[in-house]
């Protein structure tokens, strides 16, 4: 598993420990998760990736956190080439929704990587992720929830559910040669406010920035795509944002 020291990688490893032999490939071995075999593999060092991927049956290729698109594409293509040269049995790649057909903006690096994996001819599974719910969980302040989303839906999913789905794909059968569009249950900020018993108020965008851009995408309906793939791979419904907040409140009350 590449990028194994990141948040998603650690969650996947926690779900694989009792199900398979795991090798964590990390840039800095000092930051590797405990309890698994560790190999050094740096997206900017192709030779290290070839050595790290040697003998791997199924590789979970977790997307690089690099923000520069050109550099990210270079890193991903180096990893795909290293997997081919090392004779990896199958590649499972954490892609992004829309990457199968769109090659601009957020999807550009993912699209290029998917195309390289397909061209390489090795067995594969593509896991197209939505945005993480973890980044969108609303904060209750003054007895209310606010947002600038216009009451439109979000198809986000929690990182923990996406990690479990990846573990199921890595250890299960029937997933090779498939591309999954992972989406969580559609939710809105007003619905979440109602579910936890607080009021909702729409507010103007705070100004230029990532969250302002994302809110505009939500208002335009760009995050309302739905697919049954995540629930099918999990074997259960994905967790909702409302359920997450209610669980937090229960834990707070018990504490």
């Amino acid at each position: 598993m590449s990028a194994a020291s990141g948040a998603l990688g650690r969650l996947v490893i926690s779900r694989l420990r009792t199900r398979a032999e795991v090798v964590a490939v990390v840039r800095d071995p000092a930051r590797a998760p405990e309890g698994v075999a560790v190999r050094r593999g740096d997206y900017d060092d192709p030779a290290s990736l070839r050595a790290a991927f040697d003998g791997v049956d199924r590789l979970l290729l977790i997307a690089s956190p690099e923000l520069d698109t050109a550099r990210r594409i270079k890193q991903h293509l180096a990893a795909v080439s290293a997997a081919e040269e090392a004779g990896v049995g199958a590649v499972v790649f954490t892609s992004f929704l829309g990457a199968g057909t769109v090659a601009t903006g957020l999807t550009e690096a993912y699209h290029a990587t998917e195309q390289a994996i397909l061209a390489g001819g090795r067995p594969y599974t593509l896991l197209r992720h939505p945005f993480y719910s973890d980044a969108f969980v609303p904060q209750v302040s003054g007895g209310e929830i606010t947002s600038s989303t216009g009451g439109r839906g979000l198809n986000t999913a929690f990182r923990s559910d996406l990690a479990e789905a990846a573990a199921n794909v890595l250890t299960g059968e029937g997933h090779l040669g498939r591309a999954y569009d992972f989406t969580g249950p559609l939710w809105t900020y007003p619905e979440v406010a109602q579910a936890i018993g607080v009021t909702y108020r729409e507010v103007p965008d705070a100004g230029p920035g990532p969250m302002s851009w994302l809110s505009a995408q939500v208002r335009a309906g760009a995050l309302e795509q739905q697919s049954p793939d995540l629930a099918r791979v999990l074997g259960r419904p994905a967790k909702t944002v409302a359920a997450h907040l209610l669980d937090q409140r229960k834990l707070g009350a018990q504490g």
Side-chain angles (χ1 to χ4, degrees):
M1 177 190 313
S2 68
S5 61
L8 179 66
R10 289 178 181 275
L11 286 170
V12 177
I13 286 176
S14 72
R15 285 153 178 77
L16 284 176
R17 277 196 176 99
T18 60
R19 298 162 62 177
E21 182 180 351
V22 182
V23 175
V25 176
V26 295
R27 182 175 59 185
D28 179 4
R31 298 183 61 244
E34 296 180 357
V36 295
V38 177
R39 297 180 184 176
R40 180 185 174 275
D42 188 334
Y43 282 138
D44 293 315
D45 181 0
S48 73
L49 294 176
R50 286 192 294 274
F53 296 163
D54 184 55
V56 170
D57 180 31
R58 294 191 179 184
L59 169 67
L60 179 61
L61 179 58
I62 295 178
S64 164
E66 173 61 49
L67 297 179
D68 179 80
T69 298
R71 184 179 177 197
R72 190 185 229 189
I73 291 174
K74 183 179 179 181
Q75 291 175 333
H76 286 183
L77 297 189
V80 172
S81 294
E84 294 172 1
E85 292 168 13
V88 167
V91 176
V92 179
F93 173 57
T94 61
S95 190
F96 193 77
L97 283 175
T101 56
V102 180
T104 57
L106 280 176
T107 61
E108 184 176 356
Y110 297 98
H111 179 81
T113 310
E114 286 194 11
Q115 293 302 303
I117 290 171
L118 295 174
R122 304 205 72 77
Y124 69 89
T125 309
L126 305 176
L127 310 181
R128 295 176 181 141
H129 287 186
F131 288 108
Y132 293 141
S133 295
D134 312 64
F136 289 84
V137 173
Q139 301 296 314
V140 179
S141 179
E144 67 177 12
I145 286 173
T146 62
S147 85
S148 307
T149 56
R152 297 296 294 266
L154 293 89
N155 60 9
T156 62
F158 282 99
R159 191 183 279 109
S160 55
D161 276 342
L162 295 168
E164 184 174 333
N168 290 349
V169 167
L170 289 165
T171 57
E173 300 299 328
H175 301 293
L176 295 181
R178 303 192 64 174
Y180 291 119
D181 291 333
F182 284 165
T183 63
L186 204 64
W187 64 279
T188 70
Y189 282 93
E191 289 170 352
V192 169
Q194 183 177 19
I196 65 173
V198 300
T199 59
Y200 172 77
R201 181 166 58 93
E202 187 77 12
V203 296
D205 272 329
M211 289 310 296
S212 178
W213 179 85
L214 282 169
S215 292
Q217 295 297 300
V218 177
R219 291 195 302 272
L223 274 66
E224 291 184 337
Q225 173 188 349
Q226 284 286 275
S227 163
D229 289 351
L230 180 56
R232 286 176 179 170
V233 173
L234 287 173
R236 59 170 175 79
K239 190 169 190 176
T240 66
V241 171
H244 173 81
L245 282 172
L246 289 170
D247 286 347
Q248 283 189 327
R249 288 193 162 196
K250 289 177 184 177
L251 289 172
Q254 292 170 1

